[in-house]
Amino acid sequence: MLCDDLEVSREGEGVRLERPACPRASRLFSIPDPGQAMIAGLPISLDEACRSAAIILSGSHRPLIGGLGCDVTGHRAALSLAEKLGGVVDHMHGRAQFRNVRAFQDGGWVTTTLSEVRNRADLIVLAGTDASRYPRFFERCLAPVSQFGELTRKVVVLGDPVSSIPVMGGVSVSSIPIDAGRLGELFAVMRARLAGMPARAADVAGVPAGQIEALLADMRAARYGVLVWNAAELDFPQADLAIQSAVNLVKDLNQATRWSGLPLGGDDGGTSAAQTCTWQTGYPLRTAYEIAGPRYEPLLFDSDRLLKTGEVDALVWISAFDPERTPPAADCPTVVLGRADMRFARAPDVFIPVAVPGVQHAGFLHRMDAVVALPLTAPAPSSLPSVAQVLAIIQRETNHAAA
């Protein structure tokens, strides 16, 4: 969410989050030691590590530049390297991203921003998520006070019974139990009812017909409704069709009142990676650089598929935010640019510790709603290089290696 109200204090060589409480931010600001560049688990200098990475990549026919957990400058450097090497780019959350992209490409959608949700939404329907992966979503977006005064809000969770949603005055919360894999069925019937078609079944996906009618009545009566989902949690076959059904329901509701969708996501720089790739190539991620130009193949260029089939012969894995986002198992040489506290079950061929964006170096990131790019400060500057700096060195060294 790129919360811009965090207060931190210096603590020795690092920083500590003072307020507000946010487990994700606390982990981000847990500054590791400077770390050590390594080749096959053995310590080496930064220059030697970059040279070794360049030798691996210059001998590669089609490398995969994956992970992409960094800021906008890092994404631009990753795309530049991929273009030079004829590589493929994909984000670590590419599968979840693709579910949204596919629904959007097939028919478009109506989406809103975090600010609009905060200031206008009176009915929020959470489809297959309770937003617990975004600890401050309710505090920042659904508190009963907006810039236009107090709002009475109603939240309906389509999924498991509510347990993690905070209690706030002026916000009523209820849940309708349903398996996430059957949300598409529910939305299809709701669209049919909006169109005036009869529904003869006593229930749909286990939801009683009367409960569906009551929910539709509330949705029609909303002044500004928002349907929220998180593609990463909709992890089942053809989940993109469920998302497509959701966004089509939003379109239908707009014939009588005002509704928007809000796809949660953007973890580990995901939104920034997609935005940067789109403005640089004209395509979202899962794009390869070829002689004829960028080639977009969202099914063929899935990172896991490419690694499993051996269609890429080198992997560059970037994860500057989360030390637990280690690279997937690969039979090809692997170069990792990660947080200094990253640990591996199997040491990569080359590991280069990098600075954490927004903590150890300044930069920019796109917020999850993709409407603004927010500046990142560096409250704990580090001697470690940024992802962009390391990739620039590697790209320069590939010229020498090729020569």
Side-chain angles (χ1 to χ4, degrees), residues 40-87:
L42 300 176
I44 200 74
S45 70
L46 172 64
D47 290 341
E48 284 296 325
C50 289
R51 276 193 288 272
S52 295
I55 291 171
I56 291 172
L57 295 173
S58 62
S60 169
H61 295 288
R62 168 160 279 182
L64 169 63
I65 316 296
L68 298 182
C70 56
D71 71 329
V72 169
T73 308
H75 295 139
R76 296 184 67 173
L79 292 170
S80 176
L81 181 63
E83 183 175 19
K84 175 179 174 57
L85 299 173

Side-chain angles (χ1 to χ4, degrees), residues 138-356:
F138 280 85
E139 173 193 347
R140 299 218 73 194
C141 297
L142 300 185
V145 179
S146 75
Q147 72 179 82
F148 304 118
E150 291 192 7
L151 277 174
T152 299
R153 305 187 199 267
K154 184 175 182 179
V155 177
V156 179
V157 181
L158 301 178
D160 295 330
V162 177
S163 60
S164 62
I165 295 178
V167 177
M168 295 185 290
V171 180
S172 65
V173 181
S174 61
S175 62
I176 298 177
I178 180 174
D179 180 81
R182 304 191 67 183
L183 283 170
E185 299 173 48
L186 176 66
F187 295 146
V189 170
M190 292 173 73
R191 293 186 66 207
R193 294 296 298 128
L194 284 172
M197 299 174 64
R200 298 182 177 87
D203 67 86
V204 177
V207 181
Q211 204 167 16
I212 296 173
E213 292 299 323
L215 176 59
L216 276 173
D218 287 343
M219 294 173 84
R220 289 192 190 100
R223 295 181 60 191
Y224 193 114
V226 179
L227 181 61
V228 181
W229 70 92
N230 178 16
E233 294 179 70
L234 303 180
D235 190 7
F236 48 84
Q238 285 79 53
D240 56 294
L241 296 180
I243 294 173
Q244 187 176 51
S245 186
V247 300
N248 286 337
L249 175 61
V250 168
K251 294 177 192 176
D252 293 347
L253 286 163
N254 270 289
Q255 296 180 30
T257 183
R258 188 173 182 181
W259 270 81
S260 294
L262 180 69
L264 300 177
D267 306 50
D268 298 286
T271 301
S272 295
Q275 293 285 92
T276 305
C277 190
T278 302
W279 91 58
Q280 294 273 50
T281 69
Y283 300 104
L285 293 166
R286 297 191 168 180
T287 294
Y289 284 89
E290 300 183 344
I291 294 176
R295 177 186 169 197
Y296 173 59
E297 294 284 355
L299 296 176
L300 290 179
F301 295 157
D302 176 308
S303 292
D304 291 338
R305 198 198 73 82
L306 290 172
L307 291 169
K308 183 177 181 180
T309 59
E311 293 175 47
V312 291
D313 53 3
L315 169 63
V316 177
W317 183 261
I318 301 168
S319 182
F321 293 109
D322 189 343
E324 296 183 6
R325 301 290 186 186
T326 53
D331 293 329
C332 59
T334 301
V335 177
V336 176
L337 280 60
R339 276 182 58 127
D341 52 350
M342 186 174 282
R343 299 292 179 264
F344 307 95
R346 174 186 171 188
D349 294 85
V350 179
F351 171 65
I352 302 175
V354 292
V356 181

